[in-house]
Amino acid sequence: MHNSTQHNNDKSPRYVITVDIGNTNVKIGLFDDKQLVRSFKMSSDVKRTSDEYMALLLQMLQHNNIAVDSVKGAIMSSVIPQLDYTFVHVLEYCFGVKPLIVGVGVKTGLAIKYDFPRELGSDRIITAVATVKKYGAPFVLVDFGTATTYNVVNDKKEFLGGAITLGIRSSSAGLANYTSKLPDVELRIPDKVVAQSTAKAIQSGVLYGAVGQVKYMIQRIKEETGLSNAKIIATGGLSQLVADVEPIFDHIDRELSLWGLYYIYKMNTLEE
């Protein structure tokens, strides 16, 4: 699948593809010369075959006029083991490259202060790596994904640990799933905390409750670690919704996972 415009190798892009396999979505980024050129998202589905994922990916690349032979390297992080082989196969077949997989033994630039480092999700590592590079340490990084995670890095670039709780959308869906009469509602900020309808009462409890939790957790983390000057960074799909309730964060960056993968790729190849 050679692109006729690519005879001049000096000018043609040479992409690194980054794949972040999360519980809900697979996020894919294409980097060219320290720029995130394109990003895509597809749903994480263990029932989907590698052929189906391949077709989706090739369609997205074609839509963006990106030739498969312009991809020179790949890196992936996964929290769904059943999809690991699927995507290794997709990347090898589509681009002829063996992906670097984030895990134990891969250089990250962070010292992991975790009792059992193998337990630490690679999704938490990659976002922390990107935060160090883009915003500096120390910081508390709050990732609003399927779960909400709190990740703490000190000024020595040591990953000190953190906390994990239900994600905001998971909390809302849980109310609908585990109760007979409560509906599944759209996540919108209600006008006030004391609501006069069930839907708004759920919105109030879930959203204002989440904001209260975030503020309390950050306060406790700062007290416990002594990192009173830590930056507060947010990432994940619902980070902006929380910030719209109250301006808690110094920075919101929803592409941290892709950037983290790119930085780790650079650290582990000869392309520093």
Side-chain angles (χ1 to χ4, degrees):
M1 203 190 278
H2 283 276
N3 188 325
S4 59
T5 59
Q6 292 195 346
H7 59 277
N8 183 346
N9 288 329
D10 294 333
K11 297 285 184 189
S12 62
R14 305 294 288 158
Y15 297 110
V16 173
I17 190 165
T18 59
V19 180
D20 170 27
I21 303 167
N23 287 302
T24 306
N25 292 309
V26 179
K27 287 185 285 190
I28 296 173
L30 282 164
F31 287 83
D32 171 32
D33 193 26
K34 300 180 184 170
Q35 295 293 322
L36 176 57
V37 181
R38 292 279 183 281
S39 62
F40 323 110
K41 216 184 256 189
M42 45 183 93
S43 59
S44 305
D45 184 354
V46 293
K47 296 191 184 79
R48 224 175 234 167
T49 65
S50 55
D51 287 346
E52 288 171 312
Y53 272 118
M54 207 177 299
L56 271 175
L57 181 57
L58 290 172
Q59 196 179 349
M60 287 170 171
L61 292 174
Q62 192 176 9
H63 182 68
N64 285 275
N65 297 317
I66 291 163
V68 288
D69 59 2
S70 63
V71 174
K72 60 164 182 184
I75 180 169
M76 59 181 262
S77 154
S78 171
V79 297
I80 305 181
Q82 302 97 301
L83 285 179
D84 291 6
Y85 174 76
T86 302
F87 272 90
V88 168
H89 180 67
V90 167
L91 294 167
E92 286 183 341
Y93 190 85
C94 282
F95 311 114
V97 294
K98 192 174 177 64
L100 177 66
I101 299 171
V102 178
V104 175
V106 171
K107 276 192 286 185
T108 62
L110 292 174
I112 308 294
K113 301 292 181 185
Y114 220 61
D115 291 344
F116 304 102
R118 284 174 191 275
E119 282 182 6
L120 180 61
S122 57
D123 55 329
R124 296 174 68 192
I125 295 169
I126 61 178
T127 50
V129 167
T131 306
V132 168
K133 285 273 194 186
K134 291 181 91 170
Y135 304 107
F139 60 81
V140 179
L141 169 65
V142 191
D143 187 345
F144 297 95
T146 309
T148 296
T149 65
Y150 297 83
N151 308 287
V152 188
V153 172
N154 67 13
D155 45 11
K156 295 180 193 163
K157 297 183 189 173
E158 294 171 328
F159 185 100
L160 301 180
I164 304 172
T165 186
L166 262 179
I168 295 174
R169 195 165 271 126
S170 311
S171 301
S172 176
L175 283 172
N177 290 340
Y178 292 106
T179 57
S180 303
K181 290 190 171 181
L182 293 180
D184 196 4
V185 300
E186 187 188 348
L187 285 173
R188 287 173 54 191
I189 303 164
D191 300 332
K192 47 189 185 171
V193 173
V194 181
Q196 272 78 46
S197 75
T198 301
K200 285 185 177 172
I202 292 170
Q203 290 169 339
S204 170
V206 170
L207 283 171
Y208 290 126
V211 173
Q213 180 201 85
V214 171
K215 288 174 72 177
Y216 178 74
M217 290 295 285
I218 289 167
Q219 179 196 329
R220 282 295 297 261
I221 287 166
K222 285 184 170 184
E223 286 170 7
E224 198 174 284
T225 60
L227 299 173
S228 56
N229 63 332
K231 296 181 190 75
I232 310 301
I233 314 293
T235 190
L238 295 171
S239 47
Q240 190 58 56
L241 192 61
V242 173
D244 288 344
V245 175
E246 204 166 317
I248 303 168
F249 311 116
D250 296 308
H251 301 282
I252 297 173
D253 189 335
R254 290 174 61 178
E255 289 170 336
L256 281 177
S257 64
L258 298 178
W259 278 101
L261 285 167
Y262 180 68
Y263 292 137
I264 292 168
Y265 178 86
K266 288 292 193 186
M267 268 181 243
N268 287 272
T269 61
L270 300 173
E271 304 177 38
E272 283 271 43

